[in-house]
Amino acid sequence: MGKFEEIKEIIKTLQPGFNVEEIELNEAPGRILREDVFADMDMPPFNKSAMDGYACRFEDIENELEVVETIQAGVVATKIIGKNQCAKIMTGAPVPAGCNVVFKMEDSEITRSNFVRCTNSKTHINICSRGEDYQSGQLLLPKGTLINFPQMAVLAGAGKSKVKVTGIPQVAVITTGSELVEPSETPPTGKIRNSNASQLISQLRKINIDAKYFGLANDNFEELTTLFKSASEESDFVFFTGGASVGDFDLIPEILEQQGFTVFWNSTGIKPGNPMTFAQNGNKYCFGLSGNPVSSLVQFELIVKPVIYQLLGANYKPLRIKVALADDFRQKIANRLIILPVFINDDGLIEEIPFHGSAHINALTNANALMEIEPGVTKINKGELVYVRQL
Ligand code: AMP
Ligand code: MG
């Protein structure tokens, strides 16, 4: 099993441990449902007209029909429809007793005052039957569902004005690297700007987490330890970027071990983004991501997101889709899972974009997806399908 496959197995074993809170429905988008939600009634709750038109008995469809009443949405019919009768009916209104078809306004012709005829004997039925979408007592959304727009509609339809969801974790971000200055500064020779923190913080925001930024730290054991302790005290997750590798000043794995954390892994088997630490101490977790921005972006998408969702109790599966290559793909032998920024063009085909490696951040601004090349694959021909994830 490759390293990345191993990591995916470890992630499955992590136990969700965050508090559950009850919130107002309108606060729910982006949150993780922590209760099973069942239907409290049939949907639709009555036989409902799907069209503006006339409701009648199908056997009378070719006859001239007397219009006995008009039924608007929200109003119950007062009359039972008999032979050669109909009711004018609006979309969403309950179909009156005795009717088994609604022919639409466009398929009708007024023959004389209060009389109408259907001009299309092959009309659809145009009735949504009671309970055809779901039935009372049916499970609508299982615990662990990520709440997005469609789930909001279902929750509202089920009368859930309050929902139980996972609490939002406290998250700290610490950037490490003695070579870094903040974006507001002009870096002197030998230094570069910290482009990583803003990216990471916005990736977190996209999964509904507001991180607290603890600033830049030099590659100094004491300085990092002090900052880590204060970040860790008030956070469930601490993120480091930089210092996760095996250079002389890559101190994160050592600091974590000294602070009593158990390290799950120190490498990912992914290129870019091989050095990465994930560790746990009780209900505190720490990620040590690569310093290179492209690496840390990839690590977040492929690993951090599944870890966080697992710990928050979400049933999360990343969306990976197979898309055809616009041109032949060739590379030298690779023993890791390769992730490449690519552009899916107007024809829906994958185009490679110039990419110089893990520090090449502006390559990503021209990309709209990440392409996955399995370990050991050196050539894929034009037209063949490859997995991509949308960026
Ligand atoms: P590290 O993970 O600390 O070994 O860093 C790997 C590479 O990424 C080095 O070239 C660093 O200078 C660069 N790097 C580290 N942190 C950042 C950051 N926050 N923003 C931009 N580049 C970084
Ligand atoms: Mg460094």
Side-chain angles (χ1 to χ4, degrees), residues 176-179 219 242-243 249-250:
T176 78
S178 303
E179 75 280 31
D219 297 309
F249 297 97
D250 292 323

Side-chain angles (χ1 to χ4, degrees), residues 110-122:
I110 310 272
T111 47
R112 55 195 161 114
S113 173
N114 250 10
F115 283 82
V116 74
R117 218 175 58 80
C118 175
T119 55
N120 173 14
S121 58
K122 293 204 172 73

Side-chain angles (χ1 to χ4, degrees), residues 264-310:
F264 286 95
W265 61 77
N266 274 322
S267 64
T268 64
I270 303 173
K271 184 182 176 173
N274 196 41
M276 173 198 172
T277 301
F278 175 59
Q280 175 188 19
N281 186 0
N283 54 7
K284 310 244 176 222
Y285 298 88
C286 181
F287 295 95
L289 305 187
S290 290
N292 271 316
V294 181
S295 305
S296 91
L297 180 142
V298 166
Q299 289 167 344
F300 190 92
E301 287 305 314
L302 272 77
I303 298 178
V304 174
K305 247 159 86 168
V307 169
I308 290 186
Y309 278 133
Q310 171 74 19

Side-chain angles (χ1 to χ4, degrees), residues 340-355:
L340 286 176
V342 292
F343 181 71
I344 299 179
N345 66 20
D346 290 345
D347 297 325
L349 299 174
I350 301 172
E351 282 179 16
E352 280 188 71
I353 55 175
F355 178 55

Side-chain angles (χ1 to χ4, degrees), residues 120-196:
N120 173 14
S121 58
K122 293 204 172 73
T123 172
H124 291 298
I125 296 300
N126 297 321
I127 296 174
C128 311
S129 338
R130 174 177 179 160
E132 79 173 23
D133 296 348
Y134 57 75
Q135 291 178 355
S136 181
Q138 192 176 322
L139 177 64
L140 298 177
L141 297 172
K143 200 170 165 175
T145 300
L146 251 163
I147 302 172
N148 201 348
F149 326 117
Q151 288 75 20
M152 288 299 286
V154 172
L155 288 167
K160 295 291 295 179
S161 56
K162 288 189 183 323
V163 282
K164 293 197 174 105
V165 298
T166 309
I168 293 180
Q170 297 295 312
V171 176
V173 169
I174 303 171
T175 314
T176 78
S178 303
E179 75 280 31
L180 301 171
V181 299
E182 289 294 21
S184 57
E185 293 175 42
T186 304
T189 309
K191 305 233 176 193
I192 56 168
R193 287 199 179 100
N194 169 16
S195 49
N196 209 333

